[in-house]
Amino acid sequence: MSDIERPTEARPASAPFAAAVSERYEILDQVGKGGFGEVWKARDKTLGRLVAIKRVLGSATTDSGVRERLRREALSASALKHANICTVYDLITAGGDYFLVMEYLEGQTVHEQLASRPLPVERAVSVAAQVADALAEAHRSGIIHRDIKSSNIIVTPAGQAKVLDFGLAKQLERPAVVSGKATEMLLTREGTTVGTLHYMSPEQLLGETVDPRTDVFSLGVVLCEMLTGRLPFTGSSAIAVADAILHREPAVGDESQIPAPLRAIIAKALAKDRNQRYASAGELAADLRDLTAARTRPANWRVVAATAAALVIVAVVAAGWWWKQSEPERWARHEAAPEIDRLFGRDDYANAFRLTKKLQSIMPDHPELPRLFAQVSIPASINSTPAGAAIYWKRYDEPEQQWEYLGTTPLKNIPFPRGLYLQIEGRKEGHVTAHRLWPVIGASAVSRGLDIELLPAANAQPGMVLIPAAEKFTLSVPGLDHLPSVNVPAFFIDQYEVTNAQFKAFVDGGGYEKEEYWREPFIVERKTISWREAMKKFVDATGNAGPAMWELGTFPRGDDLLPVGGVSWYEASAYALFAGKRLPALHQWNRAALPQASAVVTPVSNFSGRGPEAVNSGRAMNGHGTFNMAGNVKEWCSTETESGKRFIVGGGWDEPNYMFIDSDAQSPWARRATYGFRCIRPVDPMPAALDAPVYAETRDYSKERPVGDDLFRAYLGFYSYDKTPLQARVVGRDSSSTDWVHEHLTMRAAYGNEELIVHLYLPKNARPPFQPVLYFPGSNAIHLDNFTGLGLYNDFLPRSGRALVFPIYKGTFERGDALNSDYPAPTSFYRDHLIAWTKDARRAIDYLETRDDIDVQKLSLVGFSWGGVVGPIIAAIEPRIRVCVFVVGGFCFQQALPEVDQVNFVPRVTQPTLMLNARYDHFFPVETSSRLMFQLLGTADDQKRFLLYDSGHALPRNEVIKETVGWLNRYLGSPAR
């Protein structure tokens, strides 16, 4: 009976309508009519009661979705028996039409009552409490209404509220018995937005999963509407209304309209974060009734006693009010900073960031805010084309979390939670929502900011995602990451892998019978064969044309949405041409896949070993909104490599998960079950460099042998230097930190006429002589112009009671030169730089030996990432280093000149060595890089340790601290306190 205007005069029912229901019901008159349907007043001939009958009108009856809505309404509402819920009696079908028989109610909807003026406070609160009771009952039955609004609530002349229209209700995920079978009653698909705009909760607008708190929000809107006669969220367009619901405070009137306690109830019901709302409709009903009781309690005839009691109540209420109002401030003053530090110590950066933002909103002048923000966040910028896009974020590993609004582009130096892969969405009316997966890990990545290109809706291509252009793109593939960057123009790529059903269209369209789709030369053992000969090889298990895994030219029933497998590179190329597309070049596939995010993508990808999954079944989203580029099926690329092979990447469901970040190349004739593909469609012409062959530079370190001792001693001659006077001086000293004193030093380098810069951090929580830690940084040192201080993975070293020694190595920070990559190369340029790095490290140790407050006998080396590549070379030639820790380091796949090649130095590292590595590291794969380095270390087996974490190139910070400090304590003893 909702959403239907009441007619000005009664009309007779049409003959077909009357005939459909006349067996049991006598039609009396029409009581409502609208675009959706008619409502008629009728008499039940059997039971003698009045009923209302809803019937679908006209063309709507041909809409299966509308008919399904009515069926769901009957199914949901008939299960509910409550004084404040309109009872559904029957559902009649006739000639494809649906007739819903329900309780006939006298009265007006709340919407009709509000046509003249707002409701009195007492009546509005009473209606809201009754509706809350009705919702509580529905929620207990596992049903969420999802369309609570003023036109869905009738108030009878006796003041009884009745909730109508459970047609949008959602049965919670529990089994219901239907025809003797257990079936899950999913009344609408997840991700669809259902309801009426002005009353929708934020989670409904965002297409997220709803729960009972969704109805609480909508009832809060109705309550505000009843009290003020206005909706709390308005706007000049649907977009503006949605923006108000998501980002603006509700317009709830002033205290002359709504008393303060009732305003607090509304504010809690309308909280944008559902975790801050009432947990249930029952709680809301209880608060409303408590408020009513307080307002209607009779006065005592004894005036003096009443006055005294009133004073006591006022005092108690005032004290309670003061306590409640001051509670956030007390939290901010006494509890916030320790709690944020605790979360940060657990690597819970997102919640530490959220609490810091909360602290800022409560106490913007809190003295700890600068330190906390520096600790938990990184400032970054987001721009969009066109500008004016609303930007939202949430963590990749929190898919159920609501999107959090950041602002509208351009955004400059906005704080982001540190050390996370964030999902970013850019939204703008008239444009396709843009998705990004953004690593907020290191300063070098964030300093570049994020640029989002929003595609006009008119230019969208169904089933495809736009990948923006990248003028200088470098492959993120072990063994290929040293290759020069290339220009990658914008292109569209399939959001999912090509499915069985899609490939069947190619087969049925004569794909194997039309030579024009097969443009690539068919080469077998360096000889070209004819198209007809080639077609004989592309048959299924029964000899019919089709993928190798099919039978009788088709796939098993029910496998429509599984990715097609068992196709060769030739077949994939032919299908792409048939579809008006092409296979991606390796650079294009790699750009869309974003293997740098393997730490978060791989764990939710299909490497199960059990077979493929439907393309839309997972949540393994990649960098720009594609899915399943890791696992499920491997994907052919157009790019050629050695021996005429073609790259096939991403890994398959039967492979180890590190194959997402590794490369593979196979014969273009290969047709394994896991061999599938997706297509692209270029926006602009592709440069020839994208279609050029790519040759991997790989090394199997398990088969390589280091040079002999005599030759190695000759190599050591490259690393010798004259110990000339250091001429060291302290050019700056800063003791403002609570944890350390920072000394900025300069001295003569061991080569040329250069100056070496050294930063020395002396702990305040230990007694000299201090144990020194020589640090070698990650490759961001090459790309940053200035040294900006310690970071997440080294600031704990001075806080642990040790002196941190940080040389500015040649080619890094202020000493930058033509060096632009940390990858080894068989060049004199690379050789000379590596030798200079070792001399810088040793020169810094020479300086430490001049100081009485440093104990060089307890010197350790800690190398991070790039430092885990160069560090073993330094340790192999510098005996003053007693202990080593290498964090996310390993063997590189590029060749270097033998005098600086890792393989000749790692076996000569004999110090106790700890290696901390990651299972999903896209720089140093476990089996071919980091574990092999560990195995080839010359350290005694009982003095080396290899730990592997389920993460990417950024390890859990607390684990790095615990293991590093524990390792140094084990071999060097704890620092003196």
Side-chain angles (χ1 to χ4, degrees), residues 16 90 149 198 313 315 503 671 711 730 916 950:
D90 198 2
K149 55 188 175 185
H198 288 83
I313 291 171
F503 199 85
R671 306 175 81 219
L711 185 54
V730 178
L916 305 177
D950 287 331

Side-chain angles (χ1 to χ4, degrees), residues 436-718:
R436 294 293 183 273
L437 182 51
W438 195 25
V440 188
I441 294 177
S444 60
V446 177
S447 64
R448 294 190 292 270
L450 181 65
D451 294 310
I452 297 177
E453 182 176 345
L454 294 163
L455 180 69
N459 297 342
Q461 298 201 19
M464 304 192 83
V465 173
L466 177 66
I467 307 298
E471 290 186 6
K472 294 183 178 181
F473 180 75
T474 303
L475 285 170
S476 292
V477 180
L480 300 173
D481 38 11
H482 67 292
L483 295 174
S485 59
V486 299
N487 174 32
V488 179
F491 63 96
F492 287 94
I493 188 169
D494 289 341
Q495 187 172 27
Y496 303 111
E497 306 108 312
V498 172
T499 64
N500 279 323
Q502 290 171 321
F503 199 85
K504 185 66 163 61
F506 168 68
V507 176
D508 293 346
Y512 287 91
E513 301 164 4
K514 298 178 180 179
E515 189 173 357
E516 61 263 30
Y517 297 135
W518 305 80
R519 294 183 179 176
E520 303 294 337
F522 300 102
I523 301 175
V524 178
E525 296 180 353
R526 300 185 180 181
K527 294 181 180 180
T528 301
I529 65 173
S530 69
W531 170 71
R532 293 194 179 279
E533 288 180 278
M535 292 304 103
K536 296 176 183 178
K537 298 178 179 291
F538 303 138
V539 294
D540 64 18
T542 60
N544 291 274
M549 303 300 112
W550 287 13
E551 295 179 357
L552 299 175
T554 191
F555 53 87
R557 182 173 298 174
D559 288 354
D560 305 59
L561 290 179
L562 292 184
V564 66
V567 294
S568 67
W569 178 84
Y570 287 111
E571 290 164 285
S573 299
Y575 171 90
L577 189 59
F578 164 82
K581 304 176 183 180
R582 57 161 290 162
L583 293 183
L586 180 61
H587 285 80
Q588 293 169 318
W589 191 95
N590 193 248
R591 173 155 169 71
L594 192 67
Q596 298 93 322
S598 59
V600 292
V601 174
T602 306
V604 296
S605 300
N606 179 22
F607 289 98
S608 64
R610 295 189 296 268
E613 295 177 350
V615 297
N616 61 351
S617 64
R619 61 182 184 91
M621 190 191 83
N622 296 90
H624 295 79
T626 58
F627 286 84
N628 304 320
M629 297 188 81
N632 225 20
V633 292
K634 298 165 73 78
E635 299 182 21
W636 286 110
C637 293
S638 63
T639 307
E640 184 178 3
T641 186
E642 292 90 352
S643 304
K645 294 180 178 179
R646 302 285 172 158
F647 281 99
I648 182 165
V649 288
W653 52 263
D654 64 344
E655 292 186 315
N657 51 27
Y658 62 75
M659 287 303 297
F660 172 47
I661 58 177
D662 218 334
S663 64
D664 190 12
Q666 298 292 334
S667 164
W669 298 95
R671 306 175 81 219
R672 289 189 58 199
T674 54
Y675 288 10
F677 66 103
R678 74 180 71 212
C679 302
I680 69 161
R681 182 172 286 142
V683 174
D684 299 310
M686 287 175 50
L690 283 183
D691 275 328
V694 171
Y695 300 107
E697 190 169 336
T698 60
R699 298 177 66 177
D700 186 348
Y701 283 93
S702 67
K703 297 178 180 179
E704 296 200 21
R705 295 292 178 265
V707 298
D709 290 343
D710 290 342
L711 185 54
F712 184 73
R713 280 192 292 270
Y715 290 162
L716 291 180
F718 286 97

Side-chain angles (χ1 to χ4, degrees), residues 20-25 53-54 70 74 90-94 96-101:
V21 299
S22 61
E23 182 176 342
R24 179 165 177 174
Y25 301 102
I53 301 178
K54 176 188 282 188
L70 282 175
D90 198 2
L91 178 67
I92 300 172
T93 59
D97 291 345
Y98 278 66
F99 305 93
L100 192 66
V101 183

Side-chain angles (χ1 to χ4, degrees), residues 885-904:
V885 178
F886 301 127
V887 183
V888 287
F891 277 134
C892 293
F893 295 95
Q894 293 78 28
Q895 197 76 41
L897 295 175
E899 57 268 30
V900 291
D901 197 328
Q902 289 174 282
V903 74
N904 292 324

Side-chain angles (χ1 to χ4, degrees), residues 296-302 306:
T296 58
R297 190 174 292 114
N300 195 301
W301 64 273
R302 298 183 181 182

